Amino acid sequence: MNIQGENDITVQMKKKRKNRRLRIFLALSLLVVFFSATYIGYLDYQVIKKFEGQRWKLPSKIYSAPFVLSQGIDIEKSGLISRLKRLNYNPVKRPVRKPGEYYLTATGLEIHLRDFAYPDRLQQGIPVSLSFSSGKQIDRIVDLSLAEDLERLPIEPEVIGGFYEGTWEERSLIRLSEAPPILIDAIMAMEDRRFYEHGGIDPRGILRAAWANLRAGGIVQGGSTLTQQLVKNFYLDSDRTLNRKVNEAIMSLLLERHYTKEEILETYLNEIYLGQNGIMGIYGIGQGSWFYFGKPPNEMTMGESALLAGIIRSPNTLSPQKNLKKAILRRNLVLERLFSEQKITLRQYVQARAETVSGRKVRERLNAAPYFVDEIRQRLAAAYPGDLLNSGGLRIFTSLDVELQRIAEEKLRDGLQMLERQYPHLKRAEPERQLQGALVAIDPRSGEIRALVGGRSYGTSQFNRVVQARRQPGSLFKPFVYLAAFDQAANGKEPYTPISQIEDAPITLQAGGRDWSPQNYDRTYLGPVTLRAALERSLNAATVRLSQEVGIEKIITTARALGVTSPLKDLPSLALGTSEVSPLEIAVAYATLANQGFKREPLFVQGVIDPANLRLDSPDSDEIPPTEVISPQAAFLVTHLMRGVIESGTGQGVRKLGFDRPAAGKTGTTSDERDAWFAGYTPELVTVVWVGFDQNDPVELTGAQAALPIWTGFMKEALAATPPTDFTPPAGIVFKRVNENGNVCRDGKEEAFIEGTEPTQSCEGGVFKWFEHLFF
């Protein structure tokens, strides 16, 4: 082979290698283009999917019941001003002009209510005037907009908790048109001057920021556009990586390609993070204006708009609640920028700088009733899917009274600590073995749960003893025995009355194939006693003997009718409360007594509405009418006897501790002193208190010693703001004055009877007997 041939072969081989490299390069380029296009397509899909789908997972908020004002309520004892402050109402020193203001004087209070959507109505934000008669008691309520008197006035409810995924992002979504134009100008001036000129990223802005940072020797200015900020917060995580920055740039360009500047800006205004309120993150201009200024965005002043725009860069350091001085300096910088860009006049600049900035702390009792909120979730979980509960933006309206809940938590906590100081044997070192307690309060007229404390500390134990615990009620069960007896009389059978005699003496019965001999607490017996005396003194032997006359089956039927749902054993000992029940069951049963035999199901949830204010179905309903389950006359007789428990029986401690309202109640102590109870009520509130150990250790105290003081402390403060009311006897009840022999006497004690069962024998003869028949 000659040299020329060798050269030709070499040239051909070089061409082949060159072509091969070119083909590889083209193939790789095509692969890069393909994967880049695929990746960009994926990012484009993500941009469109979220922007056009559910943009935010809105937490569901749980509200307390509204606080209803009426004549006779004391505004100081009811904590009205504290409620208004928690609701972000602002005190002013002149008559109210705008929603969210209140004006307090020595003789009255003006409040300008806000619009508020309830499940069944939209409450208009009207100005109202409350005038005081004696002290701070309301004697008149006037709608100032119509100059009309009002009988009742609901103050909007408070947020007590929420259901959410991960973190609580609180938003009040707004339209772009609802944002003040000066706020938009301020945000543009501080965050993105060329927002309407760039296509998602701004090279000029990046170069300007880089030059400023280089001259300053540190980061003093950012180059991100509003679109990039939105992409970073809306689509991406907070990792500072090159990959995230590349994604941010690509997605910003894609977002601007698909949507208008107005759509992007509106989303940005609802997305930005503006601070923290405990576990609740404040997001968006709508929520930020309420949080910092207690008003909607369209009512913000120029200075407030500048302050809100200024804290976007670093809300947790520039917030007026964190650092008032820094917040003012930042606001002034925003105003200077606006003035230099001729967005405001010199006069507006000076006026806005002169505005006072408040560093007030917003006081919201989030998770104010954790045991109650847990029970709300349990009840709603069966009715709504988890996604809807956690991110559907539902508004859940409950029956809880925030002030009563505060009192309940305080009295239970303080009461248990007092018991440990008084009785050292109750003290335990381990938190999980500490003395425990539970308290539940119900309005018997409606069934509304007004306060619920399921334990000493929710942080230590989430076990809800009001609902989940099953404990022996002891003597709390006895009123059901007497009720069964009186109900027979109301139905024309054996005419038991409060003065009927029953033998209080040792008794032995067969129970489960074994002898059972109940004993009185003090091991003494009184012989023949009236039913009143037997219940007032909580006599075990007399009560068991009565239960045998009435029948255990009848007593079980009675307890079931009142609201006891736990299994009840058909044993003689049932009369003394040996079958385990929950405090909530006892509360419902006693509420039926207080409501004169008309039973209301316990009401936790008053209504649920979606973000569009449309009402959804609720597992509870206040529209179900009460059911008469026991004769009103029999129920009243038991209430009348239980008033005697407080006046002269085992519950006398209630009076000694200063509770002087008409009230009925009953102590409860199990035979081994493992459970101590007190349950009692006024016409408007039923409260049950339990004290004991989760491990069933003996408390070695009676209900009068352990539970009664907590009950009394709660009831005294819970009802202090309202005038006292008495129990109204139903038709078919007559009163007679009788002596210890059951004869009608002018100087006897007043006793209640079902009509037709009252005594007719007089203790006097002749003309006196004629007068007694005439007047008594």
Side-chain angles (χ1 to χ4, degrees):
M1 184 179 291
N2 58 28
I3 296 173
Q4 181 63 41
E6 290 179 355
N7 288 338
D8 289 343
I9 293 171
T10 301
V11 169
Q12 289 176 359
M13 290 178 65
K14 287 182 178 179
K15 284 183 178 180
K16 287 181 179 179
R17 284 197 294 269
K18 186 175 181 180
N19 290 337
R20 188 182 303 116
R21 286 196 296 268
L22 181 61
R23 286 196 298 271
I24 292 171
F25 173 76
L26 289 174
L28 289 174
S29 297
L30 287 173
L31 283 173
V32 169
V33 170
F34 174 77
F35 283 115
S36 297
T38 302
Y39 188 63
I40 291 172
Y42 168 75
L43 293 179
D44 192 52
Y45 170 76
Q46 295 298 324
V47 166
I48 295 171
K49 179 183 177 183
K50 186 164 184 180
F51 206 87
E52 295 185 2
Q54 183 183 1
R55 296 184 185 177
W56 296 281
K57 291 184 176 181
L58 301 176
S60 292
K61 288 190 282 190
I62 305 169
Y63 289 86
S64 69
F67 179 57
V68 180
L69 297 173
S70 59
Q71 290 184 5
I73 287 180
D74 188 304
I75 70 157
E76 284 187 347
K77 293 177 180 178
S78 66
L80 175 58
I81 300 302
S82 295
R83 293 174 191 262
L84 293 175
K85 289 178 178 177
R86 289 196 300 268
L87 288 165
N88 265 349
Y89 277 75
N90 299 315
V92 294
K93 297 181 179 180
R94 38 87 185 149
V96 296
R97 298 171 188 162
K98 298 184 297 183
E101 295 182 339
Y102 70 90
Y103 173 50
L104 179 64
T105 67
T107 57
L109 172 67
E110 286 187 12
I111 309 171
H112 202 308
L113 298 175
R114 302 188 184 106
D115 290 348
F116 193 86
Y118 288 95
D120 58 347
R121 70 190 187 283
L122 175 64
Q123 177 179 288
Q124 297 296 323
I126 58 172
V128 295
S129 171
L130 315 177
S131 56
F132 309 143
S133 53
S134 56
K136 295 295 183 182
Q137 283 191 338
I138 300 171
D139 70 348
R140 190 182 182 197
I141 306 174
V142 178
D143 177 349
L144 295 176
S145 64
L146 299 175
E148 292 181 352
D149 281 20
L150 301 173
E151 291 185 6
R152 302 168 75 252
L153 177 69
I155 304 295
E156 66 254 39
E158 303 176 43
V159 176
I160 60 171
F163 302 143
Y164 50 92
E165 291 182 359
T167 58
W168 186 334
E169 297 185 2
E170 183 62 15
R171 286 182 175 84
S172 296
L173 300 180
I174 64 167
R175 297 289 185 187
L176 184 59
S177 59
E178 298 175 63
I182 193 61
L183 174 65
I184 304 298
D185 290 338
I187 291 175
M188 299 295 184
M190 299 304 293
E191 300 297 327
D192 190 356
R193 296 179 185 176
R194 300 185 62 252
F195 175 70
Y196 284 103
E197 299 169 29
H198 61 67
I201 57 177
D202 184 11
R204 285 172 54 182
I206 294 171
L207 291 173
R208 183 179 63 249
W211 177 244
N213 295 335
L214 184 64
R215 285 188 303 169
I219 303 297
V220 296
Q221 194 175 120
S224 295
T225 63
L226 285 187
T227 311
Q228 286 177 278
Q229 291 181 42
L230 175 59
V231 167
K232 180 181 68 175
N233 296 323
F234 195 58
Y235 293 101
L236 306 173
D237 55 37
S238 58
D239 292 342
R240 294 178 177 271
T241 62
L242 178 61
N243 182 59
R244 200 218 71 191
K245 291 298 292 184
V246 171
N247 286 343
E248 179 186 302
I250 295 171
M251 295 176 83
S252 297
L253 294 171
L254 293 171
L255 193 64
E256 293 262 2
R257 176 174 172 268
H258 288 294
Y259 304 104
T260 66
K261 290 288 186 179
E262 288 71 24
E263 290 174 309
I264 292 170
L265 182 56
E266 181 177 284
T267 306
Y268 175 86
L269 294 178
N270 285 308
E271 172 63 27
I272 49 177
Y273 173 66
L274 291 171
Q276 199 73 24
N277 180 22
I279 62 173
M280 176 191 286
I282 307 302
Y283 287 81
I285 295 301
Q287 191 63 29
S289 64
W290 281 110
F291 179 67
Y292 288 108
F293 313 118
K295 61 180 70 171
N298 58 10
E299 293 182 12
M300 287 194 298
T301 64
M302 186 174 293
E304 290 167 343
S305 294
L307 190 148
L308 204 58
I311 68 175
I312 291 173
R313 181 64 53 86
S314 182
N316 287 324
T317 57
L318 298 173
S319 160
Q321 297 177 3
K322 301 285 186 180
N323 192 316
L324 187 58
K325 184 177 180 180
K326 280 187 177 181
I328 293 173
L329 289 173
R330 182 71 175 173
R331 179 204 65 179
N332 293 345
L333 176 62
V334 175
L335 292 171
E336 289 168 13
R337 189 77 58 84
L338 289 169
F339 177 64
S340 68
E341 295 183 4
Q342 299 183 344
K343 298 295 184 181
I344 59 175
T345 65
L346 178 61
R347 182 178 181 182
Q348 289 174 317
Y349 169 75
V350 172
Q351 288 177 339
R353 274 190 67 120
E355 288 183 23
T356 302
V357 177
S358 171
R360 69 192 179 92
K361 301 289 185 182
V362 178
R363 291 180 289 181
E364 291 196 45
R365 296 194 72 224
L366 297 175
N367 214 17
Y371 291 105
F372 181 82
V373 169
D374 279 359
E375 181 62 17
I376 294 295
R377 178 181 280 279
Q378 289 292 324
R379 288 173 175 265
L380 293 180
Y384 305 110
D387 287 348
L388 181 61
L389 272 184
N390 292 330
S391 58
L394 303 181
R395 300 171 69 204
I396 301 158
F397 294 85
T398 74
S399 58
L400 191 87
D401 184 303
V402 173
E403 199 64 20
L404 264 61
Q405 179 68 22
R406 179 194 64 78
I407 297 167
E409 291 174 354
E410 176 187 300
K411 299 305 178 184
L412 183 65
R413 181 186 63 248
D414 293 351
L416 294 177
Q417 290 174 353
M418 179 65 74
L419 287 171
E420 288 173 335
R421 287 194 295 269
Q422 290 178 330
Y423 306 99
H425 73 273
L426 297 175
K427 189 74 174 174
R428 300 288 189 276
E430 308 92 334
E432 64 275 8
R433 296 187 63 86
Q434 280 186 320
L435 182 67
Q436 280 292 349
L439 185 153
V440 58
I442 297 183
D443 184 334
R445 301 162 297 185
S446 62
E448 294 171 321
I449 306 297
R450 309 299 282 161
L452 186 153
V453 189
R456 181 172 188 155
S457 168
Y458 184 81
T460 301
S461 169
Q462 292 80 52
F463 182 64
N464 187 344
R465 293 155 189 84
V466 167
V467 178
Q468 296 172 293
R470 295 292 184 273
R471 310 290 298 210
Q472 290 185 354
S475 297
L476 288 194
F477 199 86
K478 289 177 181 175
F480 308 156
V481 176
Y482 293 79
L483 178 62
F486 293 144
D487 195 49
Q488 290 187 177
N491 290 309
K493 297 179 182 178
E494 184 71 25
Y496 287 103
T497 75
I499 62 171
S500 296
Q501 296 279 319
I502 195 77
E503 188 72 19
D504 181 46
I507 182 173
T508 299
L509 299 168
Q510 283 287 307
R514 300 168 61 183
D515 288 345
W516 178 65
S517 302
Q519 296 179 320
N520 288 341
Y521 183 77
D522 59 3
R523 306 296 193 272
T524 62
Y525 302 90
L526 303 179
V529 294
T530 63
L531 297 193
R532 170 175 289 281
L535 186 59
E536 286 181 354
R537 301 183 188 186
S538 201
L539 301 176
N540 291 340
T543 301
V544 169
R545 190 169 269 106
L546 177 64
S547 72
Q548 291 299 298
E549 293 182 11
V550 173
I552 297 298
E553 187 175 332
K554 169 65 175 175
I555 294 167
I556 291 175
T557 301
T558 300
R560 287 269 178 264
L562 292 176
V564 176
T565 57
S566 291
L568 299 175
K569 296 177 182 178
D570 189 355
L571 294 172
S573 61
L574 176 70
L576 303 185
T578 55
S579 287
E580 296 175 342
V581 297
S582 71
L584 180 62
E585 290 174 80
I586 291 292
V588 172
Y590 274 55
T592 306
L593 288 174
N595 203 32
Q596 295 190 352
F598 285 86
K599 180 189 172 188
R600 286 275 195 182
E601 293 298 328
L603 182 66
F604 287 82
V605 180
Q606 294 183 320
V608 180
I609 59 177
D610 67 12
N613 293 335
L614 298 177
R615 184 164 189 170
L616 307 179
D617 290 336
S618 169
D620 296 343
S621 176
D622 55 1
E623 297 175 358
I624 300 175
T627 306
E628 182 181 325
V629 295
I630 290 293
S631 112
Q633 296 78 21
F636 181 81
L637 287 192
V638 173
T639 295
H640 204 56
L641 263 60
M642 290 169 66
R643 293 184 69 171
V645 172
I646 287 177
E647 298 299 338
S648 57
T650 57
Q652 292 179 69
V654 169
R655 296 299 185 222
K656 293 176 182 177
L657 291 172
F659 187 67
D660 55 6
R661 287 172 175 252
K666 185 71 188 74
T667 54
T669 311
T670 53
S671 58
D672 48 13
E673 293 187 334
R674 298 180 189 275
D675 301 276
W677 301 76
F678 192 84
Y681 51 89
T682 63
E684 58 275 304
L685 194 65
V686 175
T687 300
V688 176
V689 174
W690 168 83
V691 174
F693 288 101
D694 289 340
Q695 298 76 23
N696 271 326
D697 296 345
V699 179
E700 299 179 12
L701 297 173
T702 65
Q705 292 171 304
L708 181 150
I710 297 171
W711 182 94
T712 306
F714 170 75
M715 293 291 280
K716 282 173 66 176
E717 196 167 334
L719 296 172
T722 57
T725 56
D726 205 348
F727 296 98
T728 303
I733 290 291
V734 296
F735 293 90
K736 294 288 183 180
R737 291 190 175 277
V738 296
N739 63 11
E740 63 274 11
N741 296 319
N743 295 324
V744 179
C745 279
R746 286 171 295 176
D747 57 354
K749 292 183 178 180
E750 187 176 71
E751 188 57 88
F753 299 90
I754 296 173
E755 191 171 11
T757 67
E758 69 272 21
T760 56
Q761 183 69 37
S762 173
C763 64
E764 302 288 351
V767 69
F768 294 108
K769 185 173 182 179
W770 181 83
F771 271 108
E772 282 187 359
H773 277 296
L774 186 62
F775 295 106
F776 297 96

